[in-house]
């Protein structure tokens, strides 16, 4: 099968724009001399789970990190063209407060990274930095977030214990709970289950499925079954280009592009 | 652990049961239309066929969707396979009902009501009960009932043979036109096929529950 890149650029239609919380237009991005993303245009819908899939090096994690400007932390990164708007605001405009942006766009990483503190303090940390000191208020948020992350019943009697003593799956759900504490609108997840066993993965997937009632979730995953199970929409990336984007049912049952078909059916490469 | 997508399997079971009931209704009414001489009932049966076909398509799509998005294994995978096969059996029952209704209309127009000693009523009752039992053993996951269904199909086969002998006998040639006798043989064969589809479903239920 010929996998040469064709100049395809799926364009979001007006109906999808109405529900879009993230609008990306002709977005191109480079690490130094190496262009990583080419003219990406796609809308991400409110209160849905959107999966970004594709082989290693296709640009999906780079694209994810553009949504909360995590790439700003890497030297020599450049936006070559285009824009990303979140809730109608161009997030790369000079006057955008990046700290404020990251409150609205939380992130969960591949490897769980709890602070070496108690379970309670992991959730309360971000709030204390924001100046919230009142214990009753912190207690309320800690409980809300742990409940939101389906963790409360498992840890309510040991909130003072170190988060590092939790299982891998619990640590990842704690990181999700921590992300919820600052009330984000969007949660970005970069391979959140890749280090977890199937049971812990199932729990995190159940959590993500429940969270979309209140949050918009964008997830990068190498696990195609996970993308199929979990997401409402799926975007397939290859060599920095968006090859196909649509309802997950369409991408996995009847993709339009032969490259997508080859990738989701495991015939790629 | 119950996953959020497992509800889709229950929906699939419900749809399959509904399809079974619809096709069983169509089969029962088709014979009734012949016995009652009711041409309006014939039309009602013929109209049911599209709804049955549509439901079979829906089940096929739901199975395809589940396979593509949920990667089922073990019991879940067997359920998908059984749903595909059973929905096809039910659709074929609908087709047999359609055939019976068409033949019934031809006989009624040609002969008026049948007065001959044919055992369509008994045969239809048996096949309808058999199909109903097959659906019940699927819903209740009852292996014993499924095994009973397989054995009971023989009674319907015997009645079909009986019809064939009567309808080809010399005495019958004087009472019914060749065309009507031929149609009656086909009706009998269709009812016998409905019994076969019930038996198929029972076998599929055993496969679903035992895995072999």
């Amino acid at each position: 099968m010929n996998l040469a890149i064709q100049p395809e650029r799926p364009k979001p239609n007006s109906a999808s724009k109405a529900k879009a919380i993230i609008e990306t237009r002709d977005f191109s991005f480079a690490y130094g001399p190496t262009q990583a993303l080419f003219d990406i245009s796609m809308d991400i819908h409110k209160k849905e789970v959107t999966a970004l899939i594709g082989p290693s090096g296709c640009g999906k994690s780079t694209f994810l990190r553009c949504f909360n400007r995590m790439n700003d932390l890497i030297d020599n990164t450049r936006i070559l063209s285009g824009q990303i708007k979140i809730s109608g605001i161009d997030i790369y405009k000079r006057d955008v407060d990046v700290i404020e942006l990251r409150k609205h766009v939380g992130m969960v990483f591949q490897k769980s990274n709890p602070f070496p503190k108690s379970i309670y303090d992991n959730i309360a940390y971000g709030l204390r930095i924001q100046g919230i000191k009142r214990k009753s208020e912190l207690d309320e948020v800690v409980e809300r977030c742990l409940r939101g992350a389906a963790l409360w019943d498992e840890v309510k009697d040991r909130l003072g214990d170190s988060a590092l003593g939790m299982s891998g799956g619990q640590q990842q759900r704690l990181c999700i709970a921590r992300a919820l504490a600052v009330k984000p609108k969007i949660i970005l997840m970069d391979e959140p289950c890749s280090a977890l066993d199937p049971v812990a993965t199932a729990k995190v997937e159940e959590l993500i499925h429940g969270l979309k009632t209140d949050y918009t979730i964008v997830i990068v995953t190498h696990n195609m079954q996970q993308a199929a199970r979990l997401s409402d929409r799926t975007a397939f990336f290859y060599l920095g280009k968006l090859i196909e984007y649509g309802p997950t049912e369409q991408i996995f049952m009847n993709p339009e592009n032969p490259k997508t078909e080859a990738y989701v059916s495991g015939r790629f490469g | 652990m119950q996953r959020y997508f497992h509800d889709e399997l229950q929906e699939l079971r419900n749809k399959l049961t509904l399809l079974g009931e619809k096709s069983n209704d169509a089969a029962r009414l088709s014979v009734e239309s012949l016995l009652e001489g009711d041409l309006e009932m014939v039309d009602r049966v013929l109209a049911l066929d599209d709804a049955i076909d549509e439901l079979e398509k829906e089940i096929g799509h739901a199975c395809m969707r589940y396979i593509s998005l949920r990667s089922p294994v073990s019991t879940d995978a067997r359920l998908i396979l059984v749903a595909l096969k059973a929905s096809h059996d039910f659709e074929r029952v609908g087709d047999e009902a359609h055939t019976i209704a068409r033949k019934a209309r031809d006989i009624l127009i040609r002969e008026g009501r049948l007065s001959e000693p044919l055992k369509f009523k008994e045969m239809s009752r048996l096949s309808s009960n058999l199909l109903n039992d097959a659906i019940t053993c699927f819903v209740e996951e009852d292996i014993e009932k499924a095994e009973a269904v397989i054995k009971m199909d023989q009674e319907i086969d015997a009645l079909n043979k009986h019809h064939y002998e009567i309808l080809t006998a010399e005495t019958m040639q004087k009472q019914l036109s060749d065309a009507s006798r031929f149609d009656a043989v086909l009706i009998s064969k269709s009812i016998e096929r409905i019994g076969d589809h019930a038996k198929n479903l029972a076998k599929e239920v055993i496969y679903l529950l035992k895995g072999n």
Side-chain angles (χ1 to χ4, degrees), chain A residues 106-241:
Chain A
M107 191 152 191
V108 175
F109 297 89
Q110 185 171 1
K111 196 164 177 290
S112 56
N113 54 353
F115 303 136
K117 292 172 176 291
S118 69
I119 294 169
Y120 184 99
D121 286 342
N122 262 272
I123 310 290
Y125 186 80
L127 299 167
R128 287 191 180 120
I129 285 179
Q130 285 181 30
I132 298 168
K133 305 282 184 203
R134 205 148 50 91
K135 186 164 184 317
S136 61
E137 191 175 348
L138 291 174
D139 286 353
E140 185 269 325
V141 175
V142 167
E143 182 173 342
R144 173 177 62 78
C145 294
L146 289 172
R147 282 189 189 281
L151 201 52
W152 175 251
D153 289 337
E154 292 170 50
V155 301
K156 65 184 175 189
D157 299 324
R158 52 184 179 108
L159 294 175
D161 290 3
S162 170
L164 301 179
M166 302 169 90
S167 71
Q170 286 176 326
Q171 286 189 11
Q172 193 60 306
R173 281 184 285 145
L174 180 67
C175 292
I176 294 172
R178 192 174 64 191
L180 300 182
V182 290
K183 293 190 174 172
K185 288 180 181 159
I186 299 163
I187 304 173
L188 309 176
M189 299 187 174
D190 194 354
E191 291 270 11
C193 301
S194 64
L196 304 182
D197 70 21
V199 175
T201 296
K203 284 187 180 175
V204 172
E205 286 183 5
E206 288 293 313
L207 170 59
I208 293 169
H209 181 71
L211 286 174
K212 74 173 179 178
T213 313
D214 298 311
Y215 305 92
T216 302
I217 294 163
V218 189
I219 181 169
V220 163
T221 179
H222 271 125
N223 181 336
M224 275 184 287
Q225 278 84 27
Q226 181 171 67
R229 278 193 298 266
L230 202 52
S231 66
D232 300 291
R233 283 164 207 278
T234 298
F236 170 54
F237 285 78
Y238 183 56
L239 297 180
K241 296 198 172 187

Side-chain angles (χ1 to χ4, degrees), chain B residues 114-177:
Chain B
L114 276 182
S115 57
E116 296 315 315
L118 296 169
K119 295 186 176 177
F120 285 136
K121 189 171 183 178
E122 187 183 349
M123 202 176 175
S124 173
R125 182 183 57 77
L126 281 172
S127 71
S128 181
N129 287 348
L130 207 61
L131 198 52
N132 197 45
D133 283 354
I135 295 166
T136 305
C137 73
F138 169 71
V139 172
E140 296 177 357
E141 302 191 338
D142 186 338
I143 287 185
E144 283 179 19
K145 189 170 259 181
E147 285 166 347
V149 166
I150 292 168
K151 286 176 191 155
M152 277 158 58
D153 180 48
Q154 289 166 358
E155 288 182 54
I156 300 173
D157 292 348
L159 284 172
N160 182 44
K161 195 175 171 197
H162 166 77
H163 279 153
Y164 184 79
E165 285 165 359
I166 287 184
L167 288 162
T168 53
E170 206 169 316
T171 49
M172 189 59 97
Q173 289 175 17
K174 295 169 189 164
Q175 294 167 41
L176 276 178
S177 66

Side-chain angles (χ1 to χ4, degrees), chain B residues 11-72:
Chain B
E11 279 174 33
L12 183 63
R13 282 175 167 275
N14 294 345
K15 271 191 181 165
L16 195 61
T17 307
L18 179 65
L19 177 60
E21 286 169 355
K22 269 184 192 288
S23 63
N24 199 7
D25 279 351
R28 191 176 43 75
L29 289 173
S30 65
V31 179
E32 206 173 310
S33 69
L34 172 69
L35 299 174
E36 299 294 324
D38 188 338
L39 287 168
E40 279 182 19
M41 200 184 286
V42 166
D43 290 337
R44 271 167 47 208
V45 173
L46 295 177
L48 277 173
D49 199 39
D50 285 346
I52 289 171
D53 290 352
E54 194 55 40
L55 199 48
E56 189 214 6
K57 267 192 214 165
E58 273 182 39
I59 288 171
H61 178 79
C63 290
M64 175 65 191
R65 186 179 184 279
Y66 203 90
I67 291 167
S68 301
L69 302 185
R70 311 307 186 203
S71 313

